[in-house]
Amino acid sequence: MDINLLKSRFYELYGDGDIDMFFSPSRINLIGEHIDYNGGKVLPGAIQIGTYGIARKRGDNILRLASENFDLKVVTCIDNLRYEKEHNWGNYPKGVVHEMKTRGYNVSGMDILVKGNIPNGAGLSSSASLELLIAEMINVLFNEGNISKIELAKLSQRAENQFVGVNCGIMDQFAIAMGKKNKAILLDTDTLVYDYIDMDLKDNILVIMNTNKRRELSDSKYNERRMECDRALEIIKGHKDIDYLCQLNIDEFEQLKTHIKEENIRKRAEHAVYENDRVNRASEALIHGEIEVLGELLKQSHKSLRDLYEVTGIELDTIVFAANSYDHCLGARMTGAGFGGCAVAIVKKTYVDDFISYVGKAYKEKIGYDAEFIVTGIDDGTRQI
């Protein structure tokens, strides 16, 4: 990213003056999919691609938003913020400003320019990256940096839930806010208790595989899956006092699942409980350097997301099948909400180029267009630069 070019563009749009610059990473989730809203554990990390932003305070309550990724520019007043479909990407910054203002934090007008290098619609949490970018701007510019990273993550999640209308869990915002270089985050999404784990894959490396099948979270079946899990929880609560599906261990679920008569509801719950168990085993494998075990757990996770949670599709299944067919890939699975977007693979470092060639060829032959491959490290969280 050429920061000087972004600064020049800011001055073109808004004129000369003092500015502050920020960066907010994207995230990858190694394992633990669709359980952050079921009280489960997840194993994400921030990555080196993300969203850059420049901000300047204004002397009024006008909010001006521009992006180098989209033609649309948004001008609004922070005293009258509401979701407006025509404001498209601008609703995410608006939602964060609205949430922080509602919660009593200091905020006034700003001129903002952003530019991201996250593939658009790839399921790498570009929305959460943008939300945390705006939250950190407000934290630094108006609140002396005194708002904790965890609070910024919670505020950003509420903005997406209540202002934008996507019923996401806390994982994306937490991982982006709390990221630490070369560390995965083992996060209990129920309690927000977390541990950093060394992301030491030995002689292997993470490869992100973008199907280039664009997905729009708010237009997907994401909210439907959440409602199905809520229905499973409601049924089980009639027989056991729990707050989340992932409070059940596997033995408890197997005893209780007969009470769930609808097959699709039972399948969603089964994925959540077993996926939570996989996260616990994956974190132990990572701690003990058992990368082959970790790879096998990734394969199991994808199978569950395909057959039980039904959120993959031909593009994700094709790219994951190709990856798992490659001799020097230890394991691959879809990552993110699904319905398109990305998968992640653990690959021997010395074979990465050949892996990309092999999987790319297989994918294009079946799907008809190219996939994109990103080799990136684990990074620190949202910050002023």
Side-chain angles (χ1 to χ4, degrees):
M1 179 71 68
D2 189 333
I3 293 295
N4 288 327
L5 194 61
L6 194 62
K7 287 166 66 175
S8 297
R9 181 64 178 141
F10 184 94
Y11 294 135
E12 286 176 20
L13 286 169
Y14 301 125
D16 293 336
D18 293 338
I19 59 172
D20 289 274
M21 294 181 292
F22 302 82
F23 175 72
S24 186
S26 179
R27 71 93 188 94
I28 196 75
N29 187 27
L30 195 58
I31 195 166
E33 219 62 77
H34 283 281
I35 59 174
D36 62 332
Y37 50 81
N38 283 309
K41 291 182 180 178
V42 292
L43 195 60
I47 57 177
Q48 291 168 336
I49 59 174
T51 313
Y52 293 81
I54 301 177
R56 177 192 291 155
K57 288 183 183 181
R58 293 177 55 86
D60 54 25
N61 282 341
I62 298 300
L63 179 65
R64 296 198 292 181
L65 302 167
S67 169
E68 291 292 273
N69 300 99
F70 303 98
D71 291 334
L72 175 68
K73 296 177 177 61
V74 173
V75 179
T76 189
C77 177
I78 68 168
D79 296 325
N80 187 32
L81 292 173
R82 65 186 189 281
Y83 180 89
E84 296 171 86
K85 188 175 182 180
E86 61 272 20
H87 282 178
N88 195 290
W89 71 272
N91 283 301
Y92 292 92
K94 284 169 55 182
V96 173
V97 174
H98 178 266
E99 183 64 29
M100 295 185 77
K101 189 171 184 288
T102 300
R103 298 283 166 173
Y105 292 109
N106 297 323
V107 59
S108 65
M110 290 176 285
D111 293 332
I112 294 173
L113 175 65
V114 301
K115 184 174 184 179
N117 56 9
I118 307 168
N120 195 28
L124 295 176
S125 296
S126 57
S127 60
S129 176
L130 177 59
E131 288 158 5
L132 266 300
L133 182 80
I134 303 301
E136 182 65 5
M137 287 175 175
I138 295 169
N139 187 26
V140 169
L141 295 181
F142 301 103
N143 296 275
E144 300 180 340
N146 290 328
I147 309 172
S148 74
K149 297 290 189 184
I150 293 178
E151 176 66 4
L152 294 179
K154 291 177 180 178
L155 289 162
S156 296
Q157 182 202 11
R158 282 196 293 264
E160 187 154 348
N161 290 169
Q162 297 172 18
F163 193 92
V164 180
V166 177
N167 206 12
C168 66
I170 190 65
M171 178 188 68
D172 292 351
Q173 289 83 2
F174 194 98
I176 288 166
M178 298 291 289
K180 186 176 285 191
K181 191 174 181 64
N182 297 326
K183 302 283 187 180
I185 307 169
L186 178 61
L187 170 66
D188 185 322
T189 61
D190 179 14
T191 62
L192 296 190
V193 170
Y194 65 97
D195 288 303
Y196 290 108
I197 298 175
D198 287 339
M199 191 66 162
D200 182 4
L201 298 177
K202 307 298 181 185
D203 57 346
N204 305 286
I205 196 167
L206 279 179
V207 179
I208 299 169
M209 306 179 292
N210 181 11
T211 64
N212 281 319
K213 165 68 183 305
R214 180 180 169 82
R215 45 164 295 281
E216 287 285 356
L217 195 56
S218 56
D219 295 334
S220 72
K221 293 186 176 180
Y222 181 91
N223 288 345
E224 179 183 311
R225 291 295 180 274
R226 286 207 60 163
M227 288 188 287
E228 289 169 337
C229 287
D230 289 344
R231 175 61 183 147
L233 177 63
E234 180 185 347
I235 294 167
I236 289 173
K237 285 177 78 168
H239 306 274
K240 187 174 179 62
D241 184 19
I242 58 171
D243 297 315
Y244 296 102
L245 288 175
C246 289
Q247 289 175 336
L248 297 173
N249 61 39
I250 287 174
D251 289 342
E252 288 170 333
F253 173 75
E254 289 297 328
Q255 292 170 12
L256 291 164
K257 70 179 185 181
T258 54
H259 298 293
I260 307 174
K261 304 304 181 185
E262 296 171 77
E263 183 184 13
N264 67 315
I265 304 297
R266 187 170 61 250
K267 285 163 66 175
R268 309 304 184 240
E270 181 176 338
H271 166 76
V273 173
Y274 277 78
E275 182 79 348
N276 193 50
D277 180 72
R278 281 188 286 271
V279 175
N280 289 323
R281 289 188 284 149
S283 62
E284 287 297 313
L286 190 56
I287 289 168
H288 294 109
E290 298 169 342
I291 311 306
E292 291 81 6
V293 173
L294 179 62
E296 286 300 316
L297 290 166
L298 263 61
K299 293 177 184 179
Q300 293 173 24
S301 175
H302 185 83
K303 185 175 185 294
S304 181
L305 288 157
R306 182 191 68 203
D307 298 341
L308 297 178
Y309 222 70
E310 300 179 273
V311 291
T312 58
I314 187 170
E315 294 85 5
L316 281 167
D317 288 339
T318 297
I319 209 163
V320 168
F321 179 82
N324 284 329
S325 299
Y326 185 77
D327 286 343
H328 302 287
C329 174
L330 277 66
R333 71 173 196 92
M334 63 150 275
T335 186
F339 314 110
C342 287
V344 62
I346 301 174
V347 183
K348 295 286 184 185
K349 289 178 183 175
T350 52
Y351 290 92
V352 166
D353 290 342
D354 189 57
F355 169 81
I356 289 171
S357 176
Y358 175 87
V359 175
K361 182 174 183 291
Y363 183 79
K364 187 169 184 179
E365 283 178 356
K366 182 160 186 178
I367 302 301
Y369 54 82
D370 289 324
E372 177 184 7
F373 298 86
I374 303 165
V375 180
T376 182
I378 303 298
D379 200 8
D380 291 321
T382 306
R383 57 200 181 267
Q384 189 174 13
I385 56 175

